């Protein structure tokens, strides 16, 4: 069985393996022992906090194969981004150059650096090992965060964002960054990517151009990737679009990948999730459900079709093995969401 749970300090070695497997452009999991340890410690503290409003909490979950003990994936939520360390984006806009005397009217795309998403909740760090990418595990990792958020809404902002990995080649080189490197920086994309992942963001404000960039001055290759995602990120983007997330012109400073956003109340999985009361027995459904308990520090979630739902009394029948995995008993409440 695959069980999602909060990360613990014992998961360091497993998280480092996931970080190595994630590759270039996955800045939220840098291959750096100190940073990974700090991320785990912060997550442990966040799950233990008594929170009435979002601040600097970071909730990092791991997906464990209970048969082998292997950590096969991660997913995370940042409660409120940009409060302590600025969160930068480019916003895509337009400017008009018009001369009635000459009969000239040109509309030009521009990129303006901003901090517009300060205070928003960010879903991030979704990664699943290649060995488990068939089936519903990826969809589960993406959508289970919304069950946690639906149950504990005071911990999060109503504005929710997701930064999608932009286009880069197999060596981690970004066409967009290549142009910035040539004109403003002297470091390659993997180096900049690593600095961001380790929290060294001062160079952004020091070296990044302070004025809007005219997109038509960029190389053709750089222009072509603005707002586009890495091939491996396309399935994740499609899932978020089905949830109601939209692209509103904000892109990453380094690879120009899109950031998508939604209001918490409008996220499909938040709206569609249900609270049911547990009964222990033999359950079976033609559909597969994400099923989660209502805890914070002791949060557990699975996906299974071994559940029967009675809409008349809002109950769910699950067997003792599933109840044990979720750490619930007869009479407890669970939150569910149909995955298939």
């Amino acid at each position: 069985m695959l069980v999602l749970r909060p990360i613990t300090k014992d998961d360091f070695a497993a998280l480092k393996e996931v970080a190595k497997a994630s590759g270039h452009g996955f800045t939220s999991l840098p291959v750096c022992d100190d940073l990974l340890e700090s991320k785990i410690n912060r997550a442990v503290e966040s799950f233990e906090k008594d929170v009435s409003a979002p601040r600097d909490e970071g909730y990092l979950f791991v997906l464990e194969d209970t048969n082998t003990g292997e950590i096969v994936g991660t997913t995370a939520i940042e409660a409120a981004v940009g409060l302590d360390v600025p969160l930068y984006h480019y916003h895509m806009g337009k400017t008009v150059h018009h001369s009635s005397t000459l009969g000239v009217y040109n509309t030009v795309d521009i990129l303006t650096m901003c901090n517009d998403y300060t205070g928003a909740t960010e879903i991030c760090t979704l990664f699943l090992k290649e060995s488990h990418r068939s089936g519903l595990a990826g969809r589960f990792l993406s959508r289970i965060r919304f069950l946690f958020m639906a149950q504990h809404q005071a911990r999060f902002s109503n504005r929710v964002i997701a930064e999608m990995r932009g286009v880069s080649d197999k060596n981690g080189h970004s066409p967009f960054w290549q142009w910035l490197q040539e004109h403003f920086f002297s470091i390659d994309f993997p180096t900049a990517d690593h600095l961001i992942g380790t929290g060294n963001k001062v160079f952004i404000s020091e070296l990044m151009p302070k004025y809007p960039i005219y997109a038509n001055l960029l190389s053709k290759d750089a222009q072509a990737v603005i707002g586009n995602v890495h091939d491996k990120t396309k399935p994740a983007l499609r899932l978020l679009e089905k949830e109601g997330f939209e692209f509103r012109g904000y892109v990453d400073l380094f690879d120009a990948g899109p950031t998508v956003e939604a209001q918490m109340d409008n996220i499909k999985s938040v709206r569609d999730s249900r609270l049911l009361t547990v009964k222990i027995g033999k359950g079976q459904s033609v559909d597969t459900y994400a099923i989660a308990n209502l805890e914070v520090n002791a949060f557990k979630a699975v996906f299974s079709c071994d559940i029967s739902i009675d809409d008349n009394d809002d109950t769910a029948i699950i067997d003792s093995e599933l109840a044990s995995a979720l750490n619930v008993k007869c009479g407890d409440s669970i939150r569910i969401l149909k995955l298939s």
Side-chain angles (χ1 to χ4, degrees):
M1 186 183 299
L2 297 178
V3 178
L4 189 86
R5 59 170 175 80
I7 198 166
T8 70
K9 294 181 180 180
D10 293 334
D11 295 317
F12 170 78
L15 185 66
K16 187 172 181 178
E17 289 304 310
V18 171
K20 289 177 180 178
S22 64
H24 296 296
F26 204 74
T27 55
S28 57
L29 275 185
V31 185
C32 170
D33 288 4
D34 290 344
L35 263 295
L36 291 177
E37 285 183 359
S38 176
K39 185 176 286 288
I40 291 173
N41 291 336
R42 178 168 168 258
V44 170
E45 292 172 2
S46 297
F47 282 110
E48 292 176 348
K49 272 186 182 181
D50 183 13
V51 174
S52 58
R55 274 293 304 176
D56 63 343
E57 297 81 29
Y59 304 94
L60 178 59
F61 306 87
V62 291
L63 185 64
E64 180 180 356
D65 185 333
T66 57
N67 291 327
T68 64
E70 181 186 6
I71 300 301
V72 300
T74 63
T75 193
I77 313 167
E78 288 291 323
V81 293
L83 299 183
D84 296 321
V85 179
L87 178 70
Y88 296 100
H89 284 89
Y90 276 130
H91 186 249
M92 300 168 64
K94 293 184 183 296
T95 188
V96 173
H97 294 267
H98 175 227
S99 171
S100 57
T101 303
L102 298 177
V104 174
Y105 186 97
N106 291 320
T107 301
V108 182
D109 294 327
I110 59 171
L111 300 172
T112 305
M113 194 163 70
C114 66
N115 307 108
D116 290 357
Y117 281 131
T118 299
T121 289
E122 180 184 7
I123 54 172
C124 55
T125 324
L126 192 156
F127 184 79
L128 185 62
K129 289 185 176 179
E130 292 275 1
S131 57
H132 287 73
R133 289 183 184 173
S134 60
L136 294 174
R139 187 179 302 182
F140 171 74
L141 274 180
S142 180
R143 300 182 73 183
I144 195 62
R145 297 173 291 196
F146 302 130
L147 269 69
F148 187 81
M149 294 164 71
Q151 185 60 38
H152 308 289
Q153 293 197 28
R155 291 176 175 265
F156 305 103
S157 167
N158 193 46
R159 193 183 196 186
V160 184
I161 67 171
E163 293 185 314
M164 314 307 292
R165 190 194 304 204
V167 176
S168 61
D169 64 22
K170 62 181 180 180
N171 296 315
H173 296 295
S174 159
F176 186 78
W177 176 261
Q178 183 67 36
W179 184 87
L180 286 174
Q181 178 186 343
E182 290 174 1
H183 293 84
F184 299 98
F185 295 85
S186 299
I187 55 176
D188 60 18
F189 180 70
T191 302
D193 185 53
H194 178 73
L195 288 172
I196 291 297
T198 56
N200 296 319
K201 300 183 179 180
V202 175
F203 75 95
I204 297 176
S205 58
E206 292 175 337
L207 298 177
M208 193 63 73
K210 304 298 187 296
Y211 302 101
I213 295 175
Y214 280 64
N216 62 338
L217 298 181
L218 276 64
S219 68
K220 296 298 182 183
D221 288 343
Q223 292 181 53
V225 301
I226 296 174
N228 293 323
V229 297
H230 193 283
D231 284 344
K232 291 185 177 180
T233 306
K234 288 178 180 178
L237 178 59
R238 285 194 293 268
L239 283 174
L240 291 177
E241 288 173 338
K242 290 178 180 178
E243 292 288 344
F245 281 75
E246 297 177 336
F247 175 55
R248 296 183 179 170
Y250 292 90
V251 300
D252 184 78
L253 288 188
F254 302 104
D255 61 17
T259 291
V260 292
E261 67 172 281
Q263 295 296 303
M264 172 92 76
D265 299 338
N266 293 332
I267 296 173
K268 187 177 186 298
S269 289
V270 172
R271 296 197 319 265
D272 292 351
S273 67
R274 300 175 58 189
L275 285 174
L276 300 175
T277 301
V278 171
K279 288 183 177 179
I280 306 298
K282 181 62 176 176
Q284 189 65 45
S285 172
V286 295
D287 297 307
T288 300
Y289 287 84
I291 312 167
N293 68 21
L294 308 188
E295 302 298 324
V296 178
N297 192 33
F299 181 77
K300 294 285 183 66
V302 300
F303 60 99
S304 176
C305 57
D306 295 330
I307 180 173
S308 295
I309 297 169
D310 188 336
D311 293 322
N312 294 322
D313 60 0
D314 289 329
T315 59
I317 300 173
I318 58 175
D319 63 27
S320 57
E321 182 183 7
L322 208 53
S324 177
L326 292 166
N327 196 25
V328 296
K329 61 185 183 301
C330 186
D332 286 348
S333 294
I334 55 175
R335 187 175 286 273
I336 71 160
L337 175 70
K338 187 186 293 186
L339 285 183
S340 66

